[in-house]
Amino acid sequence: MTLRPLHLAIAALMFHSSASADDFVLQRVLVEGARANQIGLSDAASAGSIGARELDKLTVYRPGELLEATPGLIASQHSGEGKANQFYLRGFNLDHGTDLATWVDGMPVNQRSHAHGQGWTDVNFLIPELVTRLDYRKGPYSAADGDFSSAGKASVAYANRLVAPLASVTLGQDRYARSVVAVSPEAAGGNLLAALELLSNDGPWTRPDGYRKINAVLRYSRGYENNGWHVAAMHYRGHWNATDQVPLRAVASGQLGRFDTIDLSDGGQAQRTSISGAWRRTTQETATSLSAYVIRNRVDLYSNFTYFLDDPVNGDQFSQPDRRVTAGVGASHTWHLLRRGALTTDMTVGLQAQNDNIFNGLYATRARQRLATTREDHITQGSVAVYAENATKWSEALRTVVGVRANAFRFEVDGDRPENAGRASDSLVTPSLSVAYGPWKSTELYFNYGHGFHSNDARGTVATVDPKTLAAVERTPGLVRSRGMELGLRTVAIPKMETTLSLYSLDFDSELVYIGDAGNTEAGDPSRRVGIELSNSYRANKWVSVNLDAAYAHARSRGGSPAGERDAGRRIPGAVEGVAQLGLSVDRAGPWSGALRLRYFGPRPLIEDDSVRSQASVTLNGRIAYRISKELRLELEGFNLGNRRDSAIDYYYASRLANEAEGVDDIHFHPIEPRSFRLTLVKNW
C-alpha cells in the first residue's frame, strides 16, 4: 500500500511537532467515527474505509454480517451457525469466499484447497468489539492484492487498545447467550489487549443448533499504526448441529416444517489458533512494513444435501475433515522519491509468501460414522509474489497508480489414489492502473484497469480420474486470470453527503471450481459481469445519518449458445443481481441512540436457462440503546422485525426423500430466522 500525503502529515504530526501522543489518539478516534471523506485519498470509487463508530451501528445476527458494511456485499448462511458464511458481491455467488479476499488483523482468512470449498472463509472467530476499521476494495486494481481478490477485498483491523475496558452480557430468544470481557492495560511500555468471548445459540430450528463457541485474543503492541509493532495470539473453538436447506416440495406438502431438517446428525466443529506479528516504520523519506503469521485450522463437516438420492439405504451424508497449518510473511518498502511543488512520487515494492500444509478428505458417512472413503489427500501448496507500485500526483487535479505483480504457485498432492497424485506449478503476471482526476474541489473521477486471479484447488491440478466414478477427467490450471475495468465518480458537492457511483466489468477466463461435495473439479466457461453501484452517505446533523447502498450486476457465461438465443443457457446459477441497503442511525440524542437497517437481497437465477429463479429476501433489523450512566449502557436489538418468511439462500438440484422412488429436481431453501430480540448490558470502566 502506498503512503499518501495525509499519512505523511500524520507521521510528521506525531514525530516532528509538539503534539503529544494523547493529542494524536484523539484525532485518530475522530477520523474513525464515520465513513471518512475519501476525496484526494482513494484510487477508486469502489474503495473505502469504515470506522469503528459506523460499524457499531450495524445490527448483525452473526459475525460474518459485519462484512456487509462493504457496499453491495451480502453475507448469508445455509447451514449451522458455526459454518462459514455464503457471500455475494458484484454478480458473484462467492460460495464460502472464492474471489473475496478477507483479512483480519493482517492475516488471510481464505483457505486454499479446502475440503468443502475453495477459498473457505470462516470469520466466526471475529470479535466485533475489537474491530477499529474495515477497509474494502472491489475489483483487481491493486498490485498489493493477490489470490481471491478479483471481486473484492475486505480487511478488518483490530485495535491496539480500547477506549475503555468493557464487559457485556447478551441474552436473547432461542437460548441465545453471549458474554464478552475485554481490557487493554499499559504493560512494559506498551499496550496489552486481552479479550474473551463465550457464546451459545440454539436458533429457531426444530433440531437446535446447539452452537457453542469460545473465542480469545491476547495482543501486545508498542507505538502507533505507522510507527510501531505488535504480536497477537488468537484461539477459537466452536461446535454445532446443522439444519441445512430443505426441499420446497416437502414444506409445501406439509411433510416438513420450515425449520425442520431431514438428517438430524448434520453439523460440525471448527478450531482456529494463530500467532502473528507486524512491524512498521515511517519517516519523511520512507515507509517499511514487515508481517508474519502462523495459523492452525481444523474443521469437521457432516452434510447431507440430497438425502437418499445416491444411497437409498444409508443416506447421502458425507464427511469433510480438513487439518492445516498456514504460514506466511509479507514485506513492503516505500520510497518518497520526489517532492516538487504539487508533483510527488512514491515507489513501493513488496513481497508476499504463503505455505499451506493440508490434510483433508471426503468420506461417506451415516450419523457421523464413516462408511467409505471417496478420497483423502495430503496437500502442500506454496506461493510467492513480488510487486511494484508507483503512485504519482502529477498536479492538484491528477493522480495515477501503476502497478505490476508476479505470482508463482506450487502444488503437491499425495493421496490414497496414485492417479490423482503429483506435482504442478503455475505463474501469472498481473498489471494494474488507476487514474484519479479531480479539477473540482468536491468531485473526483476515476478510471481503473487491472488483472487479477484466483487459485484453483490443488487436487484439480494433478487429477486424472473422478474419485467416485473413476471416469477420466482433465487437469485444471492452477491459476485463473480475471480482467477488470471500472469508471467511477465520488463527490461531496452536496453538503454533508458523499456519493460514489461506479460502472464496472469483470471477465474470468474460466469459472473453474473444486466441488468439495463430489471430490472433483468442475470446469466452467469464461464469464463476464457488468454492473453499476451507487453509495450515499448523508449526515443530516450531529445525531442523524442516513446511508443508502444499491448495486445491480449482469452476469453471463461467455460460452457458446444457439444462434438467435442470446441469453439461452448463459445465466450463472446463484449469481446475485440486485442488492440494496438503507440505514438510518441516531446518535447522541441525549442518552438515547439507535439504528435501523433495511436489506434487499434480490432474486437470482438458479439454473442456466433462467427457468427457475429464487425469490427476493427483505429484512429489517434495528437496535435502540439507552445510556444509564457514563459507564453503563442497555441495548435492545431486533432481527427480521417484519417477521418475513423469506429464504436466506436457494438452490436448485435433484434430491430424494425416504418415501420417494426416484430423485426430484426442486428448489432447496434455508429460511431466514423469524423475528427475535436480544438484550445487552454493557459496562465500561
Side-chain angles (χ1 to χ4, degrees):
M1 179 181 295
T2 55
L3 202 68
R4 299 292 183 258
L6 178 62
H7 299 133
L8 290 174
I10 291 175
L13 174 65
M14 291 171 58
F15 299 101
H16 302 286
S17 78
S18 60
S20 69
D22 290 338
D23 292 334
F24 173 73
V25 170
L26 176 60
Q27 293 177 19
R28 183 178 63 179
V29 169
L30 289 173
V31 169
E32 293 180 349
R35 291 191 189 184
N37 179 0
Q38 298 290 309
I39 296 288
L41 300 176
S42 180
D43 299 323
S46 57
S49 182
I50 302 174
R53 182 173 296 170
E54 185 168 350
L55 293 172
D56 190 53
K57 296 173 184 176
L58 298 177
T59 305
V60 297
Y61 189 87
R62 52 185 62 91
E65 293 179 5
L66 192 72
L67 300 185
E68 290 189 344
T70 301
L73 176 66
I74 296 290
S76 187
Q77 180 59 276
H78 75 95
S79 190
E81 283 302 315
K83 192 174 182 179
N85 290 100
Q86 196 97 0
F87 296 101
Y88 296 82
L89 179 69
R90 285 203 160 185
F92 285 89
N93 175 354
L94 295 163
D95 193 41
H96 297 289
T98 305
D99 297 311
L100 175 65
T102 306
W103 292 67
V104 172
D105 201 32
M107 293 177 286
V109 182
N110 303 74
Q111 296 179 40
R112 302 165 171 173
S113 302
H114 192 269
H116 186 73
Q118 178 69 338
W120 175 266
T121 302
D122 181 358
V123 292
N124 284 296
F125 69 93
L126 192 65
I127 302 179
E129 287 85 352
L130 304 185
V131 176
T132 187
R133 193 179 69 254
L134 169 65
D135 298 321
Y136 64 87
R137 183 159 49 211
K138 289 177 275 186
Y141 312 129
S142 172
D145 298 336
D147 203 3
F148 304 122
S149 62
S150 291
K153 178 182 179 181
S155 298
V156 175
Y158 269 5
N160 281 335
R161 62 185 178 209
L162 303 174
V163 175
L166 70 90
S168 72
V169 176
T170 303
L171 298 176
Q173 292 171 262
D174 304 317
R175 299 184 66 182
Y176 180 92
R178 178 178 183 261
S179 59
V180 177
V181 177
V183 296
S184 58
E186 293 185 359
N191 294 289
L192 180 67
L193 174 64
L196 176 67
E197 175 192 28
L198 301 174
L199 182 144
S200 64
N201 185 18
D202 283 348
W205 319 107
T206 305
R207 161 69 158 150
D209 263 356
Y211 181 41
R212 305 292 184 264
K213 81 171 178 180
I214 182 171
N215 208 356
V217 173
L218 186 63
R219 197 173 193 273
Y220 181 77
S221 64
R222 283 192 177 185
Y224 300 95
E225 183 175 0
N226 286 337
N227 276 278
W229 57 271
H230 79 265
V231 292
M234 302 183 189
H235 178 71
Y236 158 76
R237 182 172 183 175
H239 61 86
W240 65 94
N241 302 313
T243 295
D244 289 316
Q245 61 266 16
V246 293
L248 181 61
R249 64 185 184 278
V251 176
S253 68
Q255 183 177 348
L256 288 177
R258 285 176 55 82
F259 303 107
D260 287 348
T261 189
I262 294 175
D263 194 327
L264 295 175
S265 61
D266 284 355
Q269 56 184 344
Q271 294 184 42
R272 181 189 184 277
T273 304
S274 66
I275 299 175
S276 63
W279 174 86
R280 297 179 179 89
R281 172 68 174 169
T282 302
T283 70
Q284 288 184 320
E285 295 79 25
T286 62
T288 306
S289 69
L290 299 171
S291 63
Y293 53 84
V294 178
I295 310 167
R296 180 178 181 266
N297 276 293
R298 297 169 60 93
V299 68
D300 289 283
L301 290 175
Y302 297 89
S303 309
N304 187 346
F305 302 134
T306 53
Y307 322 125
F308 296 94
L309 181 66
D310 297 328
D311 188 339
V313 176
N314 296 302
D316 297 348
Q317 189 185 75
F318 55 92
S319 166
Q320 294 168 305
D322 191 285
R323 311 282 187 270
R324 69 180 58 218
V325 174
T326 300
V329 296
S332 70
H333 186 75
T334 300
W335 294 270
H336 313 308
L337 298 177
L338 182 62
R339 298 287 183 269
R340 185 176 300 168
L343 179 63
T344 63
T345 296
D346 295 346
M347 187 69 191
T348 300
V349 296
L351 167 71
Q352 296 167 356
Q354 179 178 325
N355 186 78
D356 296 273
N357 189 22
I358 309 163
F359 294 86
N360 58 26
L362 176 63
Y363 306 92
T365 56
R366 178 178 182 177
R368 302 196 184 190
Q369 298 301 309
R370 192 172 295 179
L371 301 177
T373 299
T374 303
R375 70 178 304 162
E376 52 187 8
D377 301 280
H378 174 210
I379 303 166
T380 304
Q381 182 169 339
S383 67
V384 62
V386 293
Y387 66 90
E389 199 170 60
N390 177 271
T392 299
K393 181 180 178 183
W394 300 94
S395 67
E396 294 297 337
L398 180 64
R399 306 189 310 276
T400 61
V401 180
V402 181
V404 64
R405 179 186 180 94
N407 310 275
F409 278 65
R410 172 184 51 82
F411 310 91
E412 184 174 349
V413 180
D414 182 17
D416 60 333
R417 191 174 294 280
E419 308 96 298
N420 288 340
R423 298 181 180 181
S425 62
D426 205 351
S427 60
L428 205 62
V429 175
T430 52
S432 59
L433 168 67
S434 297
V435 180
Y437 180 62
W440 315 278
K441 182 179 179 181
S442 59
T443 302
E444 282 189 336
L445 303 176
Y446 305 94
F447 170 77
N448 306 95
Y449 177 81
H451 289 205
F453 70 97
H454 70 232
S455 62
N456 275 322
D457 191 287
R459 288 164 287 188
T461 66
V462 300
T464 60
V465 299
D466 184 298
K468 275 192 173 182
T469 67
L470 302 184
V473 297
E474 293 185 7
R475 294 181 175 181
T476 61
L479 306 179
V480 179
R481 183 184 296 272
S482 65
R483 299 171 182 83
M485 184 170 62
E486 182 175 317
L487 296 174
L489 175 146
R490 186 189 307 271
T491 181
V492 291
I494 300 176
K496 302 180 181 180
M497 176 184 290
E498 179 171 344
T499 301
T500 64
L501 178 69
S502 58
L503 303 171
Y504 68 87
S505 69
L506 182 61
D507 293 351
F508 260 103
D509 284 352
S510 173
E511 299 219 2
L512 294 173
V513 293
Y514 182 80
I515 309 301
D517 307 346
N520 59 13
T521 298
E522 184 176 277
D525 290 326
S527 64
R528 170 167 294 170
R529 290 165 172 85
V530 295
I532 182 171
E533 295 176 328
L534 173 68
S535 181
N536 276 284
S537 178
Y538 176 64
R539 191 164 189 86
N541 50 48
K542 291 183 178 181
W543 55 280
V544 176
S545 61
V546 180
N547 295 323
L548 171 64
D549 301 316
Y552 178 79
H554 179 275
R556 296 292 186 271
S557 166
R558 290 189 290 137
S561 60
E565 299 182 32
R566 186 168 179 268
D567 271 353
R570 296 179 58 227
R571 302 298 180 103
I572 300 174
V576 64
E577 294 177 346
V579 300
Q581 294 197 49
L582 175 63
L584 170 67
S585 62
V586 177
D587 196 13
R588 301 178 184 175
W592 295 95
S593 63
L596 284 172
R597 184 169 68 114
L598 180 68
R599 188 188 78 164
Y600 171 79
F601 183 21
R604 302 163 299 286
L606 299 181
I607 192 170
E608 287 82 353
D609 64 6
D610 202 30
S611 60
V612 183
R613 292 177 62 82
S614 70
Q615 299 294 317
S617 171
V618 180
T619 53
L620 177 65
N621 296 341
R623 67 176 183 86
I624 186 169
Y626 180 78
R627 186 167 291 281
I628 301 171
S629 66
K630 185 178 180 181
E631 295 84 16
L632 196 63
R633 184 176 81 252
L634 189 65
E635 184 173 291
L636 178 66
E637 295 176 296
F639 304 90
N640 189 15
L641 294 174
N643 205 28
R644 291 179 60 94
R645 293 165 59 88
D646 294 337
S647 297
I649 199 165
D650 297 283
Y651 302 97
Y652 185 76
Y653 57 84
S655 65
R656 178 183 175 185
L657 301 174
N659 61 347
E660 292 176 331
E662 58 185 17
V664 178
D665 291 328
D666 197 5
I667 292 177
H668 297 73
F669 73 97
H670 186 74
I672 62 174
E673 293 79 8
R675 181 169 50 222
S676 63
F677 296 92
R678 297 172 184 171
L679 186 66
T680 301
L681 183 65
V682 181
K683 169 68 176 178
N684 295 108
W685 288 270

